[in-house]
Amino acid sequence: LGRPGAIPLIVVHGLSYFSYDWLGVAAALGHEREVVAMDMRGFGDSDCSVAKDYSVPAMGRDLLAVLDALGWRRAVLVGHSMGARSATYVAAKAPDRAAGLVLVDYTPENAPAGAQRVTEKVANQPDAFASIEAAMQYLGAADRKRVEAYVKRTDAGYVLKRDLFFRDQFRKALETGERPKLGVDMWQLLAEVHCP
């Protein structure tokens, strides 16, 4: 969205979101710059990782690949929640590509109550929903249009456009207490960031 002008901006969504959630923001910010909201691997309309590699470095490389495909040498990186990890990784490891870094609803260590709530919610995701209304109820969403964009119809019912890998990882966390591996130390990455 938007028109060329100021430094472009790319938005990376969080775990329970996808690019659709950022279209309004992209339109609002697109008066002076190009804005892209991307679907990370395993989310929305992007493919799932065949190798089930959803580590921060892998998803950060995806972000760089999108910047390359767009022909953007530098951009303001906006990361929401889980997406902030990828944006931080790029800002730290490819500093020449980051004109700025915006972290929305993010911290390297989640508050225990919030982490538990998200873990339980994602772990309890069914394979499919019988109806859009059932998906809306699970997501706690009142916006039917958003939910229609976030599911796809299959023979089994309505399936979230999120790789079940994430559900299975959170189920494992509930059973064993083992948290998903990020592949990096997020505090260290933040220390390496030098852009605004």
Side-chain angles (χ1 to χ4, degrees):
L1 293 171
R3 66 182 95 151
I7 295 171
L9 186 146
I10 189 163
V11 183
V12 189
H13 61 82
L15 178 68
S16 295
Y17 301 85
F18 66 123
S19 62
Y20 179 93
D21 295 300
W22 290 92
L23 294 180
V25 172
L29 296 175
H31 296 289
E32 299 175 352
R33 71 185 75 234
E34 293 175 284
V35 182
V36 166
M38 67 178 282
D39 282 331
M40 295 301 290
R41 63 171 64 191
F43 291 85
D45 293 324
S46 289
D47 292 335
C48 294
S49 170
V50 175
K52 301 300 180 195
D53 184 358
Y54 293 102
S55 65
V56 172
M59 294 176 92
R61 289 188 297 272
D62 291 346
L63 175 52
L64 285 169
V66 171
L67 292 175
D68 290 343
L70 293 167
W72 293 355
R73 185 73 197 121
R74 297 177 73 226
V76 174
L77 312 175
V78 178
H80 171 230
S81 193
M82 176 196 73
R85 297 173 184 161
S86 305
T88 300
Y89 180 87
V90 171
K93 299 301 184 186
D96 57 318
R97 306 300 298 273
L101 177 64
V102 179
L103 304 176
V104 180
D105 192 22
Y106 174 75
T107 178
E109 294 179 36
N110 294 329
Q116 184 67 24
R117 185 183 74 250
V118 170
T119 298
E120 290 173 359
K121 180 79 165 182
V122 176
N124 287 311
Q125 175 188 332
D127 289 345
F129 300 95
S131 65
I132 295 289
E133 290 75 20
M136 290 174 69
Q137 184 176 3
Y138 166 78
L139 293 168
D143 183 350
R144 183 182 180 92
K145 188 175 177 182
R146 175 191 183 254
V147 175
E148 288 174 347
Y150 198 29
V151 297
K152 62 182 172 186
R153 183 156 178 90
T154 68
D155 291 341
Y158 294 92
V159 177
L160 280 187
K161 294 180 182 178
R162 176 174 64 198
D163 192 340
L164 288 175
F165 169 87
F166 294 97
R167 180 204 57 195
D168 297 343
Q169 288 296 302
F170 281 95
R171 283 183 178 174
K172 182 178 178 183
L174 283 178
E175 293 168 6
T176 67
E178 181 182 335
R179 304 300 305 163
K181 303 286 187 270
L182 301 179
V184 293
D185 177 338
M186 290 309 304
W187 284 112
Q188 179 60 43
L189 281 180
L190 278 172
E192 295 174 21
V193 172
H194 296 292
C195 66

